[in-house]
Amino acid sequence: MGIAPGDVVLARAAYRAVGRAGAGGGDFLAELLDLLGDQGTVACLAFTRGGWWWQARRLAPFTPATPSYAGALPNAMLAHPDACRSTHPQCSIVAIGRHARALTEGHGPADGAYEPMRKLIALDAKMLVAGCVAVNPGFTTTHLAEVDLGLHQRRIFPWLSVSRYRDDQGQVRVFHRRDPGCCSNSYWKFYGAYVRHGILNTGRVGNAYAICAPAAQCYAIEHEILARDRRFNLCDSPDCLTCNALRWDRVHRWPLWLWRRVRRQSFT
C-alpha cells in the first residue's frame, strides 16, 4: 500500500473485513504500529455523536474517555497507553507515535472540526482506508476542502447539532456545531481524479480491499474540483437526508424526500 517505517498515517479500517484481528482489533493496530516504528505516527478519526439542541440536557458530556462511534480501530487506539486525543466534542482524533501530541493539541471546542487534517497535510501523511471503501468512501481531506471553500455554509442551521463537554474549569458547556461536513457518500467521485494523477494505491490489507493516497495531493485535487463545481459533492441517493433536505441549495427537494420517507415507513 506504499506505507513505510517513519510514515504518518491516517487510518480507517473495518476489522471484520480485514480479518485475523484480536479483541477490539488490537492485532491490526499492533502490526501497523510495528511497521511504522518509533519515528512513525498513526492517527484515526475518533468522532462522537451529538444530538439536536432540544436534547442537550440528556447528552452525556464529552470526555477523553468517551467511546467513538467510528468503529473498533479508534476505540482500540483510545485504549492504548500511549494514545493522545484531541478535545473537539464531536470530531476528535486520536493518535499514537512521534507526532501524536502535535496532531491532537489545539483541537478543542473553539477550533475547526477538520483542522487536524491541515496538520496531517503539513506532515506529508498518507491516508489508508481498509475494508470500508464501499460503505465509507473517500478521504477526510475533502471535508477540509469544503470548509476552506465555504461549502459548509450550504448546510441548513448546523448549530442545531449540539454536544456537551467540560471546560477547563470543569463546568459543563453546550457545544454548537459550526462547520459540518457535506455528504461523504459522494466522495467516490474523486477516485478517477486520484487515478489520473497517479496517487492512488490499491491492494489488500488482510482479507480487505484497501486504498491509500497522500493527504497533500488529495486535498489539492479535491479543492480544485470543488472550486470548479460546488455541487460535485452531492450524492445520487434520493433518500440522503444531507443532499435532499439539509442544504440550502437543495431545500426545494425537502418535500419529496419527506414524502418518500413517510411512504416507506407506512409500507413497513
Side-chain angles (χ1 to χ4, degrees):
M1 301 303 299
I3 296 173
D7 280 345
V8 178
V9 178
L10 177 69
R12 300 193 341 251
Y15 278 113
R16 289 185 180 180
V18 171
R20 300 186 295 108
D27 289 351
F28 174 88
L29 176 59
E31 293 201 18
L32 183 57
L33 289 171
D34 184 61
L35 168 63
L36 296 175
D38 294 339
Q39 298 302 305
T41 307
V42 59
C44 188
L45 309 177
F47 292 179
T48 47
R49 299 193 188 280
W52 298 112
W53 66 268
W54 56 83
Q55 300 171 318
R57 291 183 177 274
R58 299 200 299 268
L59 298 174
F62 170 84
T63 72
T66 299
S68 172
Y69 68 76
L73 177 57
N75 288 301
M77 290 183 65
L78 289 172
H80 194 281
D82 297 328
C84 298
R85 186 183 195 177
S86 66
T87 58
H88 192 282
Q90 290 188 7
C91 295
S92 65
I93 70 163
V94 57
I96 302 169
R98 179 185 176 189
H99 299 289
R101 190 168 300 279
L103 284 171
T104 55
E105 283 183 340
H107 183 230
D111 302 295
Y114 304 109
E115 285 305 302
M117 300 307 302
R118 207 178 306 280
K119 295 180 180 180
L120 288 164
I121 290 170
L123 289 169
D124 198 24
K126 298 171 181 176
M127 299 181 293
L128 171 69
V129 182
C132 49
V133 177
V135 298
N136 193 3
F139 299 113
T140 314
T141 45
T142 311
H143 283 317
L144 180 62
E146 290 169 344
V147 171
D148 288 348
L149 290 166
L151 297 182
H152 64 291
Q153 296 174 3
R154 300 193 173 196
R155 288 289 300 271
I156 295 175
F157 303 140
W159 45 266
L160 290 176
S161 175
V162 302
S163 296
R164 296 203 302 164
Y165 69 97
R166 292 190 182 275
D167 63 16
D168 294 337
Q169 289 73 44
Q171 299 295 314
V172 176
R173 305 285 186 182
V174 176
F175 168 81
H176 293 269
R177 188 71 183 272
R178 302 181 307 277
D179 52 354
C182 297
C183 176
S184 60
N185 289 330
S186 65
Y187 290 178
W188 61 269
K189 295 180 182 180
F190 293 99
Y191 290 167
Y194 302 150
V195 172
R196 287 193 298 273
H197 285 78
I199 64 169
L200 188 68
N201 287 334
T202 63
R204 305 196 75 82
V205 173
N207 298 323
Y209 176 70
I211 60 175
C212 186
Q217 287 99 316
C218 284
Y219 173 82
I221 291 168
E222 295 148 5
H223 192 281
E224 178 185 1
I225 291 174
L226 290 172
R228 187 170 62 246
D229 181 1
R230 293 178 173 246
R231 295 166 66 88
F232 188 83
N233 58 354
L234 288 167
C235 80
D236 302 321
S237 172
D239 299 320
C240 175
L241 174 64
T242 299
C243 292
N244 292 280
L246 293 182
R247 286 177 56 133
W248 288 113
D249 56 344
R250 303 274 283 184
V251 70
H252 60 282
R253 298 176 64 92
W254 184 85
L256 182 59
W257 175 86
L258 181 62
W259 178 77
R260 284 196 181 99
R261 186 175 180 86
V262 171
R263 185 182 66 171
R264 184 180 301 108
Q265 290 181 343
S266 298
F267 279 115
T268 302

